[in-house]
Amino acid sequence: MNAPSPLDRVRVVLARPSHPGNIGAAARAMKTMGLAELWLVSPASFPDPVAQARASGAGDVLAAARVVDTLAAALADTVFAAGLTARRRDVSLPCLGPRAAAAEIVDWRARGKVALVFGNEAGGLTNEELGLCALPVTIPANPEYASLNLGAAVQLMCYELRMAAMGEGVRAIARHAPEPATHDEIEGFFGHLEAAIVASGFLDPARPRRLMPKLRRLFGRARLEKEEVAILRGILASFGTAGNK
Amino acid sequence: MNAPSPLDRVRVVLARPSHPGNIGAAARAMKTMGLAELWLVSPASFPDPVAQARASGAGDVLAAARVVDTLAAALADTVFAAGLTARRRDVSLPCLGPRAAAAEIVDWRARGKVALVFGNEAGGLTNEELGLCALPVTIPANPEYASLNLGAAVQLMCYELRMAAMGEGVRAIARHAPEPATHDEIEGFFGHLEAAIVASGFLDPARPRRLMPKLRRLFGRARLEKEEVAILRGILASFGTAGNK
């Protein structure tokens, strides 16, 4: 990408891609829609000549791709992540279609890096991986055959992002919006919360009752801000001091 | 396709496809969006095991594909055809983007068979082929690299057709919304929270620092559910027991 793109703060993350051809197809799909930043989490094979061939004219996107070991590492400096999922893992999760999700992702760019996460070809994102994404996104596919090719799914989502970005001329992004918490800050809070409620006896690690997923879902909907994480951790620390020392 | 589809009168036509893999990818893309009728104009190789492999679970679409010699033959019984073109061949032609084109195509289904025509991978549709289409359609791609893979372009267009057929894409994905907390339940939580953080020493009533308004704003954004209020109050109670009794 030579010219600055309206989508240059959107990162595409492929979690554990099995087929190098799909990595190349994703790079090509991204570049046609003006996206340039590709991260690969534990790819089965990369670099790979098959990826290069399928990338066609998007070899620059492949060449600049970052390879990391975990999804958490790919999201560490992002302020918002949307994860594609073919089905509802948790019936109570709010789940957007591509168009509404693209509008939200495009809005988040004003605050920092955002990520669009795609799972492995065979199994999609694990529940744990999806838990790291604030927004689950489902493509409204044919219920009888909903299996989009990975590269095709990337094409479709990047297209919606481009459409959303092109249509935002009139969209007013709040200029004094509070600073969002980073992924690492939010994970730090969840770690602190979990340790605190284990210490207080509310969470029994031997019988977790899906408590942490429920709490992640609650605070995920709120889209925590940096100051709020500091307040919540201050509250937890105050309880810890009173209760455990 | 087993069930009748709202898109069963929309035919996808690939004109002179060079790569059998793209034929398979197109079949798969179609089926994921509920389209079933594929026509191939003078394919370089068909049937072909590569097409079969890339079609994945859409082998039925491939098996039912019609092969003809000319685009005119593929359009003979249609009442409307839209043709994809990367650029405007004739500035006087009205040229729509995928979303507007999909709306028009979906409207035309009421009158008969309609076709969505894609050109050869290397050169797209010829001027003569495009002349057989009532509506030229251009995907608003990155001007620096507008070369979508054929299968990806089919995916994108079929997605827009499905969104248009489903009702402008604004349909919310049905879900069983969890029961929201009542106003009284939420106020009960805030009262509990305030008492707990006063007791823990985090909130000094003489110098409240707008803490409660900030916490109200955070939990207000989350739109608390009944079960979540119970969990949060359980957590507070667990801290209270540890800390204050």
Side-chain angles (χ1 to χ4, degrees):
Chain A
M1 307 302 306
N2 302 315
S5 157
L7 294 171
D8 59 3
R9 294 180 115 180
V10 182
R11 168 182 308 173
V12 169
V13 180
L14 304 184
R16 301 169 288 106
S18 303
H19 303 300
N22 287 333
I23 298 174
R28 178 174 179 177
M30 289 169 59
K31 186 166 178 177
T32 63
M33 294 295 143
L35 283 84
E37 191 178 329
L38 175 62
W39 289 56
L40 305 170
V41 180
S42 298
S45 175
F46 186 83
D48 190 295
V50 175
Q52 202 66 37
R54 286 280 290 282
S56 190
D60 54 341
V61 174
L62 274 192
R66 292 278 302 267
V67 178
V68 290
D69 289 333
T70 64
L71 180 55
L75 301 181
D77 61 335
T78 64
V79 295
F80 184 74
L84 273 285
T85 175
R87 58 189 182 283
R88 303 286 304 280
R89 313 297 173 107
D90 175 334
V91 289
S92 58
L93 269 177
C95 197
L96 297 186
R99 194 159 303 165
E104 184 159 355
I105 291 166
V106 161
D107 279 348
W108 273 93
R109 289 174 311 157
R111 309 196 190 175
K113 286 276 189 188
V114 298
L116 184 57
V117 184
F118 297 83
N120 166 266
E121 291 92 335
L125 292 173
T126 64
N127 283 337
E128 187 185 359
E129 288 168 337
L130 200 57
L132 298 179
C133 302
L135 180 69
V137 182
T138 294
I139 294 173
N142 176 5
E144 290 173 26
Y145 183 66
S147 169
L148 272 75
N149 165 263
L150 175 55
V154 172
Q155 182 75 68
L156 193 162
M157 287 303 306
C158 290
Y159 158 75
E160 283 288 15
L161 284 173
R162 184 172 183 83
M163 295 294 280
M166 287 170 66
E168 73 170 355
V170 293
R171 192 192 299 270
I173 293 173
R175 299 211 182 283
H176 301 292
E179 190 176 3
T182 65
H183 179 82
D184 277 358
E185 287 165 345
I186 292 172
E187 289 303 313
F189 161 63
F190 283 130
H192 193 161
L193 175 62
E194 183 166 12
I197 64 180
V198 167
S200 79
F202 187 72
L203 172 58
D204 175 3
R207 191 171 163 273
R209 297 175 298 153
R210 290 190 47 76
L211 262 179
M212 286 310 299
K214 288 175 178 174
L215 288 163
R216 280 177 174 273
R217 177 174 157 270
L218 186 173
F219 288 104
R221 291 204 311 276
R223 316 275 190 254
L224 289 170
E225 297 160 9
K226 199 175 284 286
E227 185 194 13
E228 290 170 343
V229 168
I231 290 172
L232 291 170
R233 295 196 66 167
I235 290 173
L236 289 174
S238 76
F239 287 134
T241 302
N244 304 316
K245 291 191 179 169
Chain B
M1 307 303 307
N2 302 315
S5 158
L7 294 171
D8 59 3
R9 296 181 114 180
V10 182
R11 168 182 307 175
V12 168
V13 181
L14 305 185
R16 302 168 290 105
S18 304
H19 303 298
N22 288 332
I23 298 174
R28 178 174 179 177
M30 290 169 59
K31 186 166 178 178
T32 64
M33 295 295 143
L35 284 84
E37 191 178 329
L38 175 62
W39 289 55
L40 305 170
V41 180
S42 298
S45 173
F46 186 83
D48 189 294
V50 174
Q52 201 67 36
R54 286 280 290 281
S56 189
D60 53 342
V61 174
L62 275 192
R66 294 278 302 268
V67 178
V68 292
D69 289 334
T70 64
L71 179 57
L75 301 182
D77 62 337
T78 65
V79 294
F80 183 76
L84 273 284
T85 174
R87 58 188 183 282
R88 300 285 302 279
R89 314 294 174 109
D90 175 338
V91 289
S92 65
L93 271 176
C95 194
L96 296 185
R99 195 160 301 167
E104 186 158 354
I105 292 166
V106 161
D107 281 347
W108 273 94
R109 288 175 310 158
R111 310 196 193 172
K113 287 274 191 190
V114 298
L116 185 56
V117 185
F118 297 83
N120 167 267
E121 291 92 334
L125 292 173
T126 64
N127 283 336
E128 186 186 359
E129 288 168 337
L130 199 58
L132 298 179
C133 301
L135 180 68
V137 182
T138 295
I139 294 172
N142 176 5
E144 292 173 26
Y145 183 65
S147 169
L148 272 75
N149 165 263
L150 175 55
V154 172
Q155 182 75 67
L156 193 162
M157 288 303 306
C158 291
Y159 159 75
E160 282 288 13
L161 285 172
R162 184 172 184 83
M163 295 294 277
M166 285 171 66
E168 309 301 314
V170 295
R171 173 175 311 199
I173 293 174
R175 60 176 180 271
H176 298 289
E179 190 176 2
T182 65
H183 177 81
D184 277 357
E185 287 165 344
I186 291 173
E187 288 305 311
F189 162 64
F190 283 130
H192 194 162
L193 175 62
E194 181 166 10
I197 62 179
V198 166
S200 78
F202 188 73
L203 172 59
D204 175 2
R207 192 170 161 274
R209 296 176 298 155
R210 290 188 46 76
L211 261 179
M212 287 309 299
K214 286 175 179 173
L215 288 164
R216 280 178 175 273
R217 179 172 157 273
L218 186 173
F219 287 104
R221 291 204 311 275
R223 314 269 187 264
L224 288 171
E225 296 160 9
K226 197 175 285 285
E227 185 194 14
E228 290 170 342
V229 167
I231 290 172
L232 291 170
R233 295 197 66 167
I235 289 174
L236 288 174
S238 77
F239 287 137
T241 302
N244 303 315
K245 293 189 179 171

